[in-house]
Amino acid sequence: MAILIRGGLIVTGDTQDRRLPAGDLLLRDGRIAAIGPDLAAEAAALGEPVETIDARQSIVMPGLVNAHTHSNEGFEQGAYDNLPLELWLLESYPPEGMPALTERQHYLRTMITAIQSIRSGVTMVQDDLLHAACTPEGLDGAARAYLDTGLRANITVTLWNQGMLDSLPFAREIIPAELQRKLRESPIPTTKDYIDLFHRHYRNWHGREGRLGVILGPCAPQRCSRDLLEECAALSVSLDLPIHCHVLETRTQAVTAAALYNRTMVAHLADLGLLTHRTTLNHAIWLTAEDIARVGDARASVTHNPLSNMKLGSGVCPVRELREAGANVALGSDGPTTSDTADMIEVMRAAALLHKLGDADYERWGTAADAFRMATMGGARSCLAQDRIGSLEPGKSADVILLDCNAWGFIPLNDPVRQLAFSVHSEAVTHTIVGGRVLMRERRLESIDEAAIKAEVAEEAERFRREDMPRMRAGAAPLRPHIAAIYRRAMGTPLPGLPDMWQPSPTNLAAR
Ligand SMILES: [Zn+2]
């Protein structure tokens, strides 16, 4: 049914940042048919039933895009603190002890991210589904969760065929021989296995209901063999698909690049044909000035994940420099164990605040409007969906959210975008609409039975906590001191050409 959203404060998020103080939005056939001051006559002229949503007390905005998360971490929200990436990764993705879940369990895990997304005004998620087992059930479960909830989603097929010994610096020197032998024994899928798995998922799910995408997720350059990365580059071109890749998230990874490639990770990607406008670099923190210029020249995208970067102590993404160089910057929550939320309003707040630190030149600080742009058009561009979503414009998909002007954070209404970033919480989102379908109305989910799903998620997540997590802890335990030693050594390794904000203190690190 067509929908007429009446009399709202419309924030289009288009290139001119057009706003209508009391405007109408007409949605038909899943798209935005018109935007204007009064569309009652246009709605009547359709000659079909039209549902009217009274928005006189609402702000109407484009749906937010969460451009980077890992819904597979849903059962571990709040499980970790004070771990840098390399140590967190060992706990969350241990080489032994990862549970093999059923499709239904994968489905329920993804539901935690999907439902928090709808509740915080997200209409599209780019889900980097990092399930180590790489079984068909993982992606099938996640895909069904997005189909059932009504969200739009790009789901990656994770590609990761280099083990710890080949992707961490000093691993062969520091990890004891016996543990190295065990690590070498764990089976790793071949490039052909991965590409076959990708094609299976692509055939089954890509383009479903016009909402699902199956995209390429080489986990990180150092975690993929050269031929696997080259296969990705070729598929990205032949199928016009996004490549979604973690790049230079930590100082340790910058040291890794120097050790493995004798050049930076960005230079390595460019040489293999992976640095294009279809590529999204997740985090992209430890970049040299030359790297930034390269990413900008390629018109590549970067996902900025401020909550995760703060929690893991990873560093600060040079957002302004990247944008000035020509790169597109999107916003991501990152996974539920590193941020630990899928609430994009919280992520926008962090992004709007973080970049006011560290520079005396206040005119160059990041703003709330920058964070909003990253969370809308920036995300759309990272998904290669900039012509379909990211702003309210006639012809684009009807991905729309409504926020309640009576929320405390909107009183008085000075600037809806600033107040979205600084003042309100996700409870202010009343309606989430994707492709013209109302997924949440007055904060009630319409696409699924939320109470029933929540009960099932809670039971399954508790079982995971009780039975699976101890096995994960046991799988991580033997390697814990050695990964810590690798981390400390990497932190003490000089990195010429990089502004080293994380200079280790001699007492903290060198002494150990
Ligand atoms: Zn990530």
Side-chain angles (χ1 to χ4, degrees), residues 230-277:
E230 285 170 344
E231 287 278 358
C232 276
L235 281 169
S236 168
V237 173
S238 62
L239 300 172
D240 192 22
L241 282 187
I243 290 179
H244 195 73
C245 186
H246 295 85
V247 179
L248 293 168
E249 178 173 357
T250 66
R251 195 183 188 286
T252 301
Q253 290 171 10
V255 173
T256 307
L260 290 184
Y261 316 121
N262 201 23
R263 56 194 158 158
T264 75
M265 213 73 93
V266 170
H268 176 62
L269 283 177
D271 287 354
L272 295 178
L274 267 85
L275 196 63
T276 77
H277 70 281

Side-chain angles (χ1 to χ4, degrees), residues 233-358:
L235 281 169
S236 168
V237 173
S238 62
L239 300 172
D240 192 22
L241 282 187
I243 290 179
H244 195 73
C245 186
H246 295 85
V247 179
L248 293 168
E249 178 173 357
T250 66
R251 195 183 188 286
T252 301
Q253 290 171 10
V255 173
T256 307
L260 290 184
Y261 316 121
N262 201 23
R263 56 194 158 158
T264 75
M265 213 73 93
V266 170
H268 176 62
L269 283 177
D271 287 354
L272 295 178
L274 267 85
L275 196 63
T276 77
H277 70 281
R278 296 188 186 88
T279 304
T280 292
L281 313 181
N282 300 310
H283 307 289
I285 293 169
W286 292 86
L287 306 177
T288 62
E290 203 187 341
D291 289 337
I292 292 172
R294 276 191 131 139
V295 173
D297 288 347
R299 297 288 181 265
S301 290
V302 161
T303 63
H304 176 36
N305 303 270
L307 288 175
S308 168
N309 299 158
M310 285 193 273
K311 190 175 178 230
L312 299 179
S314 300
V316 180
C317 174
V319 166
R320 177 166 292 274
E321 291 78 3
L322 281 161
R323 293 178 81 188
E324 284 173 355
N328 169 60
V329 183
L331 210 55
S333 62
D334 210 358
T337 61
T338 62
S339 63
D340 299 30
T341 182
D343 184 328
M344 278 298 282
I345 294 178
E346 299 294 326
V347 178
M348 277 184 58
R349 179 160 303 141
L353 293 170
L354 177 62
H355 300 276
K356 301 184 195 302
L357 296 176

